[in-house]
Amino acid sequence: MSSQPNKSIIDGITCLQTLASSSEPIGVRELARQLDLQPMKANRVLMTLMSMGLVTQNEKKAYMPGPGIHVLAAQAIHGSTLLSKALPVIEEQLPCDHIISIGVLWGDKVSYLVHAEPNQSFSQSIIHNHLYDASKSTIGLLLLSRMQDEKVMAILGDQKFEKIKDKLSFAREHGYSKQHHTDPLEVTIAIPLDEKSDVAIAFSRFKNSSPNSVPLKLEALKKLGNQINGETT
């Protein structure tokens, strides 16, 4: 039996992910171009996904997520031990003066499972998640720092790696990642949620108003991570 990855399954999932993350419907040729597929192959994949209710077409014959996506989303949320633990704990923290995020690495992007902003409803913190360049994300930097440099370069490319290698070294040395924002003067920090999973949690854009700002937020972030993991401190 072959142990090689099944290319058809990979193409199907990649097509579905691309449509699900797009803000507008995509035509078959544009989708094929984005994914470097032959248009005939892309069309065959889309027809299969349509037959399962995972993809549908608009009046212009462009493709977009179908009703089956909502079923998958609901099943994923209900089956997620991470979200069942994290959501009640984070909801108790709101409202707060900074962003609370939980994210995972997906290729060269970070997917935010939770992105709770100040003065935002809790439901918005879940439905407004998005994909973000991992090299620009504090959560992304933290998760990338847990890999060997060679793997990071394979994911991001040499040019992006050179820009962030010092930040990766900082994260490896200190156990958390940090980025400063210059306008306004704010800081974002991220830590691993635990040592077993590739999930990170962050406090974003809090005021760096004193030398104790980062240490205090880091302590609070670790405490929040322990609460999500069901650990008492």
Coordinates of all heavy atoms in Angstrom, one line a residue, residues 85-142:
K85 N -13.1 24.4 25.8 CA -12.4 24.8 27.0 C -12.1 26.3 27.0 O -12.2 27.0 28.0 CB -11.1 24.1 27.2 CG -11.2 22.6 27.5 CD -9.8 22.0 27.6 CE -9.9 20.5 28.0 NZ -8.5 19.9 28.1
A86 N -11.7 26.8 25.8 CA -11.2 28.2 25.7 C -12.3 29.3 25.7 O -12.2 30.3 26.4 CB -10.4 28.4 24.5
L87 N -13.4 29.0 25.0 CA -14.4 30.1 24.9 C -15.1 30.5 26.2 O -15.2 31.8 26.4 CB -15.5 29.6 23.9 CG -15.1 29.3 22.5 CD1 -16.3 28.9 21.6 CD2 -14.4 30.6 21.9
P88 N -15.5 29.7 27.1 CA -16.0 30.2 28.4 C -15.0 31.0 29.2 O -15.4 32.0 29.8 CB -16.4 28.9 29.1 CG -16.6 27.8 28.1 CD -15.5 28.2 27.0
V89 N -13.7 30.5 29.1 CA -12.7 31.2 29.9 C -12.5 32.6 29.3 O -12.4 33.6 30.1 CB -11.4 30.4 29.9 CG1 -10.3 31.2 30.6 CG2 -11.6 29.1 30.7
I90 N -12.4 32.7 28.0 CA -12.1 34.0 27.4 C -13.3 34.9 27.6 O -13.2 36.2 27.8 CB -11.8 33.8 25.9 CG1 -10.4 33.1 25.8 CG2 -11.8 35.2 25.2 CD1 -10.0 32.9 24.4
E91 N -14.5 34.4 27.5 CA -15.7 35.2 27.6 C -15.8 35.9 29.0 O -16.2 37.0 29.1 CB -17.0 34.4 27.4 CG -18.3 35.2 27.4 CD -19.5 34.4 27.0 OE1 -19.4 33.1 27.1 OE2 -20.5 35.0 26.6
E92 N -15.3 35.2 30.0 CA -15.2 35.8 31.4 C -14.3 37.0 31.5 O -14.4 37.8 32.4 CB -14.8 34.7 32.4 CG -15.8 33.6 32.6 CD -15.3 32.6 33.6 OE1 -14.2 32.7 34.0 OE2 -16.1 31.7 34.0
Q93 N -13.3 37.0 30.6 CA -12.3 38.1 30.6 C -12.8 39.4 30.0 O -12.2 40.5 30.1 CB -11.0 37.7 29.8 CG -10.4 36.4 30.3 CD -9.9 36.5 31.7 OE1 -9.2 37.4 32.1 NE2 -10.2 35.5 32.5
L94 N -13.9 39.3 29.2 CA -14.4 40.5 28.5 C -15.4 41.3 29.2 O -16.2 40.7 30.0 CB -15.0 40.0 27.2 CG -14.1 39.1 26.3 CD1 -14.8 38.6 25.0 CD2 -12.8 39.9 25.9
P95 N -15.5 42.6 29.0 CA -14.6 43.4 28.1 C -13.2 43.6 28.8 O -13.1 43.6 30.0 CB -15.4 44.7 28.0 CG -16.1 44.8 29.2 CD -16.5 43.4 29.7
C96 N -12.2 43.9 28.0 CA -10.9 44.2 28.5 C -10.3 45.2 27.6 O -10.9 45.6 26.6 CB -10.0 42.9 28.6 SG -9.8 42.1 27.0
D97 N -9.1 45.7 28.0 CA -8.5 46.8 27.3 C -7.5 46.4 26.2 O -6.7 47.2 25.7 CB -7.7 47.7 28.3 CG -6.6 47.0 29.0 OD1 -6.5 45.8 28.8 OD2 -5.9 47.7 29.8
H98 N -7.5 45.1 25.8 CA -6.6 44.6 24.8 C -7.3 43.5 24.0 O -8.4 43.0 24.4 CB -5.3 44.1 25.4 CG -5.5 43.1 26.5 ND1 -5.6 43.4 27.8 CD2 -5.7 41.7 26.4 CE1 -5.8 42.3 28.5 NE2 -5.9 41.3 27.7
I99 N -6.7 43.0 23.0 CA -7.2 41.9 22.2 C -6.7 40.6 22.7 O -5.6 40.5 23.1 CB -6.8 42.0 20.7 CG1 -7.2 43.4 20.1 CG2 -7.3 40.9 19.9 CD1 -6.6 43.7 18.7
I100 N -7.6 39.6 22.8 CA -7.3 38.3 23.2 C -7.4 37.4 22.0 O -8.5 37.3 21.4 CB -8.1 37.7 24.4 CG1 -8.1 38.7 25.6 CG2 -7.7 36.3 24.8 CD1 -9.0 38.3 26.7
S101 N -6.4 36.7 21.7 CA -6.4 35.8 20.5 C -5.9 34.4 20.7 O -5.0 34.2 21.6 CB -5.5 36.4 19.3 OG -6.0 37.7 19.0
I102 N -6.5 33.5 20.0 CA -6.0 32.1 20.0 C -5.8 31.8 18.5 O -6.7 32.0 17.7 CB -7.0 31.1 20.6 CG1 -7.1 31.4 22.2 CG2 -6.5 29.7 20.4 CD1 -8.0 30.4 22.9
G103 N -4.7 31.2 18.2 CA -4.4 30.9 16.8 C -3.6 29.7 16.6 O -2.9 29.2 17.5
V104 N -3.7 29.1 15.4 CA -3.0 28.0 15.0 C -2.3 28.3 13.6 O -2.7 29.1 12.9 CB -3.8 26.7 14.8 CG1 -4.5 26.3 16.1 CG2 -4.9 26.9 13.8
L105 N -1.2 27.5 13.3 CA -0.5 27.7 12.1 C -1.1 26.9 11.0 O -1.4 25.7 11.2 CB 1.0 27.3 12.3 CG 2.0 27.9 11.4 CD1 2.1 29.5 11.4 CD2 3.4 27.4 11.8
W106 N -1.3 27.5 9.8 CA -1.8 26.7 8.7 C -0.9 27.1 7.5 O -1.1 28.2 6.9 CB -3.2 27.1 8.4 CG -3.8 26.4 7.2 CD1 -3.9 26.9 5.9 CD2 -4.4 25.1 7.2 NE1 -4.5 26.0 5.1 CE2 -4.9 24.9 5.8 CE3 -4.7 24.1 8.1 CZ2 -5.5 23.7 5.5 CZ3 -5.3 23.0 7.7 CH2 -5.7 22.8 6.4
G107 N 0.1 26.3 7.2 CA 1.1 26.7 6.2 C 1.8 27.9 6.6 O 2.4 28.0 7.6
D108 N 1.8 28.9 5.7 CA 2.5 30.2 6.0 C 1.5 31.2 6.6 O 1.8 32.4 6.6 CB 3.2 30.7 4.8 CG 2.2 31.1 3.7 OD1 1.0 30.7 3.8 OD2 2.6 31.8 2.7
K109 N 0.3 30.8 7.1 CA -0.7 31.7 7.6 C -1.0 31.3 9.1 O -0.8 30.1 9.5 CB -1.9 31.7 6.8 CG -1.8 32.1 5.3 CD -1.5 33.5 5.2 CE -1.6 34.0 3.7 NZ -0.6 33.4 2.8
V110 N -1.5 32.2 9.8 CA -2.1 31.9 11.1 C -3.6 32.0 11.0 O -4.1 33.0 10.4 CB -1.6 32.9 12.2 CG1 -2.5 32.8 13.4 CG2 -0.2 32.6 12.5
S111 N -4.3 31.0 11.5 CA -5.8 31.1 11.5 C -6.2 31.4 12.9 O -5.8 30.7 13.9 CB -6.4 29.7 11.1 OG -7.8 29.8 11.3
Y112 N -6.9 32.5 13.1 CA -7.3 33.0 14.4 C -8.7 32.3 14.7 O -9.7 32.6 14.1 CB -7.5 34.5 14.4 CG -6.1 35.2 14.4 CD1 -5.6 35.7 13.3 CD2 -5.4 35.4 15.6 CE1 -4.3 36.3 13.2 CE2 -4.2 36.0 15.6 CZ -3.7 36.4 14.4 OH -2.4 37.0 14.4
L113 N -8.7 31.4 15.7 CA -9.9 30.8 16.1 C -10.7 31.7 17.0 O -11.9 31.6 17.0 CB -9.5 29.5 16.9 CG -8.5 28.5 16.2 CD1 -8.3 27.3 17.1 CD2 -9.0 28.1 14.9
V114 N -10.0 32.5 17.7 CA -10.7 33.6 18.6 C -9.9 34.8 18.4 O -8.7 34.8 18.4 CB -10.7 33.2 20.1 CG1 -11.4 34.3 20.9 CG2 -11.4 31.8 20.3
H115 N -10.6 35.9 18.2 CA -10.0 37.3 18.1 C -10.9 38.3 18.7 O -11.7 39.0 18.1 CB -9.7 37.6 16.6 CG -8.8 38.7 16.4 ND1 -9.2 40.0 16.2 CD2 -7.4 38.7 16.4 CE1 -8.1 40.8 16.0 NE2 -7.0 40.0 16.1
A116 N -10.8 38.3 20.1 CA -11.7 39.1 20.9 C -11.1 40.5 21.1 O -10.2 40.7 21.8 CB -12.0 38.5 22.2
E117 N -11.8 41.5 20.5 CA -11.3 42.9 20.5 C -12.1 43.7 21.6 O -13.3 43.4 21.9 CB -11.4 43.6 19.2 CG -10.6 43.0 18.1 CD -10.6 43.8 16.8 OE1 -10.9 45.0 16.9 OE2 -10.3 43.2 15.8
P118 N -11.5 44.7 22.1 CA -12.3 45.6 23.1 C -13.5 46.2 22.4 O -13.5 46.5 21.2 CB -11.3 46.7 23.4 CG -9.9 46.1 23.2 CD -10.1 45.2 22.0
N119 N -14.6 46.3 23.1 CA -15.8 46.9 22.6 C -16.4 46.1 21.5 O -17.1 46.7 20.6 CB -15.6 48.4 22.2 CG -15.0 49.2 23.3 OD1 -15.4 49.2 24.4 ND2 -14.0 50.0 23.0
Q120 N -16.2 44.8 21.4 CA -16.7 44.0 20.4 C -17.5 42.8 21.1 O -17.1 42.4 22.1 CB -15.6 43.4 19.6 CG -16.0 42.5 18.4 CD -14.8 41.8 17.8 OE1 -14.2 41.0 18.4 NE2 -14.5 42.2 16.5
S121 N -18.6 42.4 20.5 CA -19.4 41.3 21.1 C -18.6 40.0 21.0 O -17.7 39.9 20.2 CB -20.7 41.2 20.3 OG -20.5 40.6 19.0
F122 N -18.9 39.1 21.9 CA -18.2 37.9 22.0 C -18.4 37.1 20.7 O -17.5 36.4 20.2 CB -18.6 37.1 23.2 CG -17.7 35.8 23.4 CD1 -16.4 35.9 23.5 CD2 -18.3 34.6 23.5 CE1 -15.6 34.8 23.7 CE2 -17.6 33.4 23.7 CZ -16.2 33.5 23.8
S123 N -19.6 37.1 20.1 CA -19.9 36.4 18.9 C -19.0 36.9 17.8 O -18.5 36.1 17.0 CB -21.3 36.5 18.5 OG -21.7 37.8 18.3
Q124 N -18.7 38.2 17.7 CA -17.9 38.7 16.7 C -16.4 38.2 16.8 O -15.7 38.0 15.8 CB -17.9 40.2 16.7 CG -19.1 40.9 16.2 CD -19.1 42.4 16.4 OE1 -18.9 42.9 17.4 NE2 -19.4 43.1 15.3
S125 N -16.0 37.9 18.0 CA -14.6 37.4 18.2 C -14.4 36.0 17.6 O -13.3 35.6 17.3 CB -14.3 37.4 19.7 OG -15.0 36.3 20.4
I126 N -15.5 35.3 17.4 CA -15.5 34.0 16.8 C -15.7 34.0 15.3 O -14.9 33.4 14.6 CB -16.5 33.0 17.5 CG1 -16.3 33.0 19.0 CG2 -16.4 31.6 16.9 CD1 -17.4 32.3 19.8
I127 N -16.7 34.8 14.9 CA -17.0 34.7 13.4 C -16.1 35.6 12.6 O -16.0 35.5 11.4 CB -18.5 35.2 13.2 CG1 -18.7 36.6 13.6 CG2 -19.4 34.2 13.9 CD1 -20.1 37.1 13.3
H128 N -15.3 36.5 13.2 CA -14.5 37.4 12.5 C -13.0 36.9 12.4 O -12.1 37.7 12.3 CB -14.5 38.8 13.1 CG -15.7 39.6 12.7 ND1 -16.0 40.9 13.2 CD2 -16.8 39.3 12.0 CE1 -17.1 41.3 12.7 NE2 -17.6 40.3 12.0
N129 N -12.8 35.6 12.6 CA -11.5 35.1 12.5 C -11.0 35.1 11.1 O -11.8 35.2 10.1 CB -11.4 33.7 13.1 CG -12.4 32.7 12.5 OD1 -12.6 32.7 11.4 ND2 -13.0 31.9 13.4
H130 N -9.7 35.1 10.8 CA -9.2 35.3 9.5 C -7.8 34.6 9.4 O -7.2 34.3 10.4 CB -9.2 36.7 9.2 CG -8.4 37.6 10.2 ND1 -8.9 37.9 11.4 CD2 -7.1 38.1 10.1 CE1 -8.0 38.6 12.0 NE2 -6.9 38.7 11.3
L131 N -7.3 34.6 8.2 CA -6.0 34.1 7.9 C -5.0 35.3 7.8 O -5.4 36.3 7.2 CB -5.9 33.3 6.6 CG -6.7 31.9 6.6 CD1 -6.6 31.3 5.2 CD2 -6.1 31.0 7.7
Y132 N -3.9 35.2 8.4 CA -2.9 36.3 8.5 C -1.5 35.8 8.3 O -1.2 34.7 8.7 CB -3.0 37.0 9.9 CG -2.4 38.3 9.9 CD1 -3.0 39.4 9.4 CD2 -1.2 38.5 10.6 CE1 -2.4 40.7 9.4 CE2 -0.6 39.7 10.7 CZ -1.2 40.8 10.1 OH -0.6 42.0 10.2
D133 N -0.7 36.5 7.6 CA 0.7 36.2 7.3 C 1.4 35.8 8.6 O 1.5 36.6 9.5 CB 1.3 37.4 6.6 CG 2.8 37.1 6.2 OD1 3.4 36.1 6.7 OD2 3.2 37.8 5.3
A134 N 1.9 34.6 8.7 CA 2.5 34.1 9.9 C 3.7 34.9 10.3 O 4.0 35.1 11.5 CB 2.8 32.6 9.8
S135 N 4.5 35.4 9.3 CA 5.7 36.2 9.6 C 5.4 37.5 10.2 O 6.3 38.2 10.8 CB 6.5 36.3 8.3 OG 5.9 37.2 7.4
K136 N 4.2 38.0 10.1 CA 3.8 39.3 10.7 C 2.9 39.1 11.9 O 2.6 40.1 12.6 CB 3.0 40.1 9.6 CG 3.8 40.4 8.4 CD 3.0 41.2 7.4 CE 3.9 41.5 6.1 NZ 3.1 42.3 5.1
S137 N 2.6 37.9 12.3 CA 1.7 37.6 13.4 C 2.6 37.2 14.6 O 3.5 36.4 14.5 CB 0.8 36.5 13.1 OG 0.2 35.9 14.2
T138 N 2.3 37.8 15.8 CA 3.0 37.4 17.0 C 2.8 36.0 17.3 O 3.7 35.2 17.8 CB 2.6 38.3 18.2 OG1 2.7 39.7 17.7 CG2 3.6 38.2 19.3
I139 N 1.6 35.5 17.1 CA 1.2 34.1 17.3 C 2.0 33.3 16.3 O 2.6 32.2 16.6 CB -0.3 33.8 17.2 CG1 -1.0 34.2 18.5 CG2 -0.6 32.4 16.9 CD1 -2.5 34.0 18.5
G140 N 2.1 33.7 15.1 CA 2.8 33.0 14.0 C 4.3 32.9 14.4 O 4.9 31.8 14.2
L141 N 4.9 34.0 14.9 CA 6.3 34.0 15.3 C 6.5 32.9 16.4 O 7.5 32.2 16.3 CB 6.7 35.4 15.7 CG 6.8 36.5 14.6 CD1 7.0 37.8 15.3 CD2 7.8 36.2 13.6
L142 N 5.6 32.9 17.3 CA 5.8 32.0 18.4 C 5.7 30.5 17.9 O 6.6 29.7 18.3 CB 4.7 32.2 19.5 CG 4.7 31.5 20.8 CD1 4.2 30.0 20.7 CD2 6.1 31.5 21.4

